Amino acid sequence: MVKKFRFNNPIATYAVVKDIECEKGALSYFTHNNNAFSYTMSDTTAVYGLGEAVRGINKRGWIYEGYCSDDPCHTEDKRSLYGAHNFLIIDDKNAGGDRFGVFFDYPTRITFDIGYTKQNELVVSVDKPNIDIYIIEGDTLRDIVRNFREIIGQSYVAPKWALGFMQSRWSYFTKDDVERIADSYSDADIPLDAIFLDIDYMERYKDFTIHNERFPDFENFVSYMKQKGVRLVPIIDAAVKVESGYDVYEEGVKNNYFCKGDDNKDYIVGVWPGKAVFPDFLNQDVAKWFGDKYKMLTDMGIEGFWNDMNEPAIFYSEKGLEKAFSQVDSYKEMSLDANTYFDCRDSFSKLSNSQFDYNNFYHNYNGKKIKHNDVHNLYGYFMTKSAQESFERNCPDKRILMFSRASYIGAHRYGGIWTGDNHSWWSHILLCLKQMPSLNMCGFVYSGCDMGGFNGNCTRDLLLRWLSLSIFTPLMRNHSACGTKDQECFAFENTSDFKNIVDLRYRLIPYIYSEYMKAVLSDDMYIRPLSFDYENDEIAKAVEDQLMVGESIMIAPVYTQNANGRYVYIPEDMIQLRLNGDSTISESEIKKGHHYIDIPLNEVVFFIKKDHCIPLCDSAKNIESLDYNTIKLYGNGKSYELYDDDGFTKAPDLSKTKTILK
């Protein structure tokens, strides 16, 4: 079901873990010409995949790039975001055409022109034709995903508590701020499992340090918060501050652990701490060294982390800054016209994440010196890998939460991802919805977005509508940027409305955890487009604002402002479940077809497939407090296959599934 085609001498990415022999014949389905691979689509061909990308679930009509990019403005014209997920499914089977998946294993910039230049032509192009290409076949769309996921390895298993509601902000500056947030959620009787610590918990943005004035006696504070039912999740950034006496920096310099420039000196860049250097995560010795630094925090009781700025993000480099100052200096005595003004301005605006820098530092990868830009997409992946492998050494019996901003296929084995610095825009509810199934196809099952939007000011109605989507994503985190208005659920009027929706998340945990774990352990998708369940339904194929969640649920969130409901396509007779404003649940039958559904701001509506049922339990203050003895089944099915385990050990298996009868 999987064929591998090798062109020239590709760089090893270790994205694929199954040993597959290379085919000797011509590449299946595609025409190969120099650095381009072409496929002719029909008018009805759908193209799925590419993980974290803009636009629709069907990727036709735009041009995308697989190139990890630090870009906080996720608009439709962007070609790449933080992850590079080069997997596509091409489907035209219902019209008598092809159905197959294809993975382009290529660790730097790759371009996917999917009907952008020519409407019916898909062209994948690379700078250097050193690439492995995998063709994956299967009878159904889900079979193709399963066959692909089988060769790239099992997805990351998060601890059960990490499926709870989590609150973050850049930044909660002190322990008092953190405690105030926890107490405010408790006072509002809104469940909460974790609070995130952004860069200001550190001493001057230095990895693996604690700001002792802001967070005195950190270890006892971690324990104190956990006793209150709230875990702390600190950030770790990719860059290490250049500072004499800072142990992480000194050790890295002594052992040549940082990426080098042409002159074989440490390549100096500017990020949050000012001048900084990049650990060479592609060097196994460096990865082990940096990964073991997390032990300083796990020894203090920390059980979860988020890796950031690991595309890697660069504000400037010493070389780039020197060049920019020189350019600006040359404009001092000039009368700047339309051309010279913009050149002068861009001297600094183009410093960030420049190709000049990515082409001017190097890694020691498998014993060879290799330019960063040739392996750019592996950097965040290998950072996450280094952390998770250290957890396996230092916390062998415990699942540790890990998710990252940058990623490549393969990173899905070591952690989840969030979709980066989105905005408090209504369109970004819909963008998140469309990204989730594409990420699942690529193995990233533990995923979610910054609920409410990271950049900008979130309104009450926007957050309520966003909650109604995010209660179904495995990663459910409310996160916002420095300088924006308060975005916590308790910061808005009528907090009972927020409580009811977050409560629904906790009532759904028996279902969400079951379906998440079953998807991981069977290489399946937790979130899917409707077309993956209703392959012969042409209307379902066209629906891009509804999703299947687990085996039994269909969701259709509201994502437009001032809407009191929405039109929903019901692909078969279903049961409609409604969370009412008074926190009660009501059930009703709904027939196949198009329906307008009233959905007030403080209510949630979703749908259960025919002859299926789902378990709901009573809510609680956190995941560990849930009582599964209160489970009640909803829907018109007769039973549900419930998966459950202790939620933290590293030996999950499907034998822990049991049948619950209605």
Side-chain angles (χ1 to χ4, degrees):
M1 305 297 278
V2 178
K3 296 179 180 179
K4 176 181 178 181
F5 299 86
R6 171 160 290 178
F7 295 85
N8 301 314
N9 187 28
I11 294 170
T13 68
Y14 306 103
V16 173
V17 296
K18 190 172 182 179
D19 189 21
I20 301 172
E21 290 189 10
C22 295
E23 298 288 324
K24 295 181 180 179
L27 176 63
S28 302
Y29 300 106
F30 287 84
T31 300
H32 173 219
N33 182 21
N34 296 323
N35 296 359
F37 304 88
S38 303
Y39 175 81
T40 300
M41 301 181 289
S42 78
D43 290 342
T44 56
T45 302
V47 181
Y48 303 107
L50 293 185
E52 185 183 59
V54 298
R55 298 196 172 224
I57 292 175
N58 184 350
K59 295 296 186 286
R60 284 194 67 158
W62 190 239
I63 187 168
Y64 305 86
E65 291 179 350
Y67 193 78
C68 297
S69 303
D70 170 26
D71 187 340
C73 197
H74 307 169
T75 50
E76 285 189 19
D77 60 331
K78 296 303 167 66
R79 296 186 177 187
S80 60
L81 296 178
Y82 306 95
H85 309 130
N86 307 332
F87 174 64
L88 296 173
I89 296 178
I90 295 166
D91 181 31
D92 199 27
K93 188 173 182 179
N94 288 353
D98 300 320
R99 174 179 284 169
F100 66 95
V102 55
F103 172 44
F104 296 88
D105 193 2
Y106 190 70
T108 186
R109 191 185 306 274
I110 180 170
T111 302
F112 299 87
D113 183 335
I114 309 177
Y116 172 76
T117 302
K118 292 185 178 181
Q119 182 174 327
N120 286 342
E121 190 170 45
L122 188 163
V123 180
V124 181
S125 55
V126 295
D127 290 334
K128 300 175 183 178
N130 302 312
I131 188 170
D132 282 333
I133 299 177
Y134 297 82
I135 300 294
I136 303 99
E137 296 177 327
D139 293 332
T140 68
L141 295 170
R142 289 177 74 174
D143 283 342
I144 291 170
V145 171
R146 292 186 193 103
N147 292 336
F148 175 56
R149 296 264 299 279
E150 183 181 349
I151 69 168
I152 61 173
Q154 182 178 293
S155 298
Y156 163 73
V157 179
K160 190 175 184 179
W161 64 264
L163 274 73
F165 174 63
M166 302 187 285
Q167 180 62 53
S168 183
R169 184 173 177 84
W170 173 30
S171 279
Y172 299 130
F173 284 91
T174 69
K175 64 183 289 292
D176 291 340
D177 290 337
V178 172
E179 195 167 357
R180 174 181 59 82
I181 296 300
D183 289 345
S184 296
Y185 270 104
S186 179
D187 292 345
D189 198 23
I190 299 174
L192 181 69
D193 265 275
I195 294 175
F196 283 68
L197 304 180
D198 212 312
I199 54 177
D200 295 290
Y201 82 91
M202 304 178 199
E203 178 193 328
R204 290 178 291 121
Y205 312 131
K206 295 188 294 185
D207 282 340
F208 310 112
T209 65
I210 305 294
H211 196 296
N212 289 323
E213 291 182 5
R214 293 175 180 168
F215 291 90
D217 198 7
F218 186 71
E219 184 172 358
N220 281 338
F221 182 58
V222 172
S223 176
Y224 169 72
M225 291 303 298
K226 189 174 178 181
Q227 289 173 17
K228 296 182 72 164
V230 177
R231 288 172 167 83
L232 302 183
V233 181
I235 194 171
I236 301 294
D237 281 340
V240 170
K241 182 176 175 61
V242 173
E243 180 178 281
S244 178
Y246 170 34
D247 60 341
V248 179
Y249 174 68
E250 295 280 13
E251 290 173 20
V253 169
K254 178 182 177 181
N255 294 288
N256 281 319
Y257 282 165
F258 300 124
C259 293
K260 307 294 184 184
D262 284 317
D263 55 6
N264 207 36
K265 294 181 180 178
D266 293 340
Y267 196 77
I268 308 296
V269 299
V271 200
W272 294 120
K275 290 185 177 181
V277 284
F278 289 132
D280 185 1
F281 296 116
L282 278 68
N283 181 325
Q284 292 183 5
D285 292 337
V286 180
K288 183 178 185 303
W289 164 75
F290 192 90
D292 283 340
K293 292 296 179 184
Y294 289 80
K295 188 174 185 296
M296 168 255 192
L297 289 160
T298 57
D299 283 351
M300 292 183 175
I302 293 296
E303 298 177 68
F305 301 89
W306 50 309
N307 284 346
D308 199 6
M309 304 293 285
N310 52 356
E311 291 72 33
I314 301 174
F315 295 168
Y316 63 85
S317 66
E318 278 192 332
K319 290 183 177 181
L321 201 59
E322 182 181 338
K323 183 180 178 182
F325 278 123
S326 176
Q327 283 181 308
V328 170
D329 193 57
S330 71
Y331 291 124
K332 273 186 178 180
E333 306 303 324
M334 295 177 61
S335 174
L336 301 181
D337 60 18
N339 296 317
T340 52
Y341 166 73
F342 290 108
D343 286 342
C344 180
R345 184 195 66 178
D346 291 346
S347 298
F348 285 92
S349 65
K350 290 184 177 180
L351 282 175
S352 298
N353 308 316
S354 75
Q355 290 299 295
F356 171 84
D357 289 322
Y358 290 146
N359 280 306
N360 277 280
F361 67 91
Y362 296 83
H363 299 273
N364 176 2
Y365 188 37
N366 293 333
K368 295 181 180 179
K369 181 179 179 180
I370 190 165
K371 184 192 301 182
H372 170 78
N373 211 19
D374 290 340
V375 288
H376 174 77
N377 293 334
L378 304 185
Y379 193 77
Y381 159 21
F382 277 54
M383 181 186 181
T384 298
K385 179 175 181 285
S386 75
Q388 195 59 247
E389 287 179 343
S390 79
F391 303 150
E392 291 169 6
R393 289 190 298 273
N394 299 312
C395 310
D397 299 321
K398 182 187 292 186
R399 301 181 212 167
I400 302 294
L401 171 62
M402 167 54 64
F403 62 95
S404 172
R405 194 169 75 174
S407 60
Y408 184 79
I409 290 173
H412 72 285
R413 299 190 296 269
Y414 305 102
I417 61 173
W418 93 102
T419 58
D421 298 344
N422 60 0
H423 278 71
S424 297
W425 297 340
W426 287 88
S427 62
H428 277 187
I429 299 179
L430 185 58
L431 176 60
C432 174
L433 182 150
K434 292 179 178 180
Q435 288 173 327
M436 290 300 107
S438 300
L439 286 168
N440 270 229
M441 294 175 206
C442 298
F444 294 95
V445 184
Y446 186 79
S447 55
C449 67
D450 284 343
M451 182 181 66
F454 177 71
N455 295 292
N457 293 316
C458 186
T459 59
R460 180 178 186 273
D461 55 344
L462 177 62
L463 186 57
L464 283 168
R465 292 304 194 193
W466 214 315
L467 270 168
S468 297
L469 167 63
S470 293
I471 58 172
F472 295 100
T473 63
L475 170 56
M476 185 188 181
R477 179 177 76 153
N478 182 341
H479 185 42
S480 55
C482 183
T484 62
K485 66 180 290 189
D486 291 346
Q487 192 170 295
E488 296 82 7
C489 293
F490 59 77
F492 299 94
E493 61 185 315
N494 298 330
T495 56
S496 61
D497 290 342
F498 294 91
K499 168 183 164 52
N500 290 344
I501 298 178
V502 178
D503 273 343
L504 178 58
R505 163 64 168 219
Y506 282 75
R507 296 167 79 173
L508 279 163
I509 285 296
Y511 178 80
I512 291 172
Y513 187 64
S514 291
E515 298 302 309
Y516 166 74
M517 293 299 292
K518 286 187 278 189
V520 167
L521 296 174
S522 59
D523 295 326
D524 207 345
M525 297 173 67
Y526 166 75
I527 293 180
R528 304 175 302 284
L530 266 61
S531 56
F532 279 53
D533 284 46
Y534 302 96
E535 290 189 356
N536 296 317
D537 187 331
E538 290 301 313
I539 298 176
K541 185 176 180 179
V543 172
E544 293 217 342
D545 59 357
Q546 301 172 207
L547 295 175
M548 306 305 301
V549 177
E551 282 303 309
S552 304
I553 286 177
M554 184 185 78
I555 63 171
V558 176
Y559 53 87
T560 52
Q561 191 168 22
N562 300 320
N564 295 316
R566 57 160 292 176
Y567 284 95
V568 177
Y569 175 62
I570 306 297
E572 63 174 314
D573 293 353
M574 290 184 165
I575 298 296
Q576 175 183 294
L577 235 66
R578 180 181 293 269
L579 169 70
N580 301 299
D582 61 1
S583 81
T584 60
I585 299 286
S586 58
E587 293 180 87
S588 60
E589 294 183 359
I590 187 166
K591 296 294 184 181
K592 177 180 178 178
H594 295 276
H595 300 264
Y596 181 82
I597 309 292
D598 288 310
I599 310 175
L601 262 179
N602 62 348
E603 298 190 3
V604 178
V605 174
F606 59 96
F607 308 89
I608 303 174
K609 292 174 72 172
K610 184 178 180 180
D611 299 327
H612 286 240
C613 58
I614 67 167
L616 271 67
C617 67
D618 290 348
S619 185
K621 68 175 184 177
N622 56 31
I623 294 287
E624 291 181 348
S625 302
L626 289 173
D627 183 0
Y628 274 33
N629 291 319
T630 64
I631 284 177
K632 179 182 177 182
L633 296 184
Y634 291 81
N636 62 5
K638 296 180 179 179
S639 63
Y640 178 76
E641 297 298 313
L642 179 78
Y643 176 93
D644 194 32
D645 57 21
D646 60 22
F648 63 86
T649 56
K650 289 187 174 181
D653 65 79
L654 288 174
S655 67
K656 296 174 182 175
T657 303
K658 63 180 180 180
T659 301
I660 302 178
L661 297 176
K662 192 170 184 182

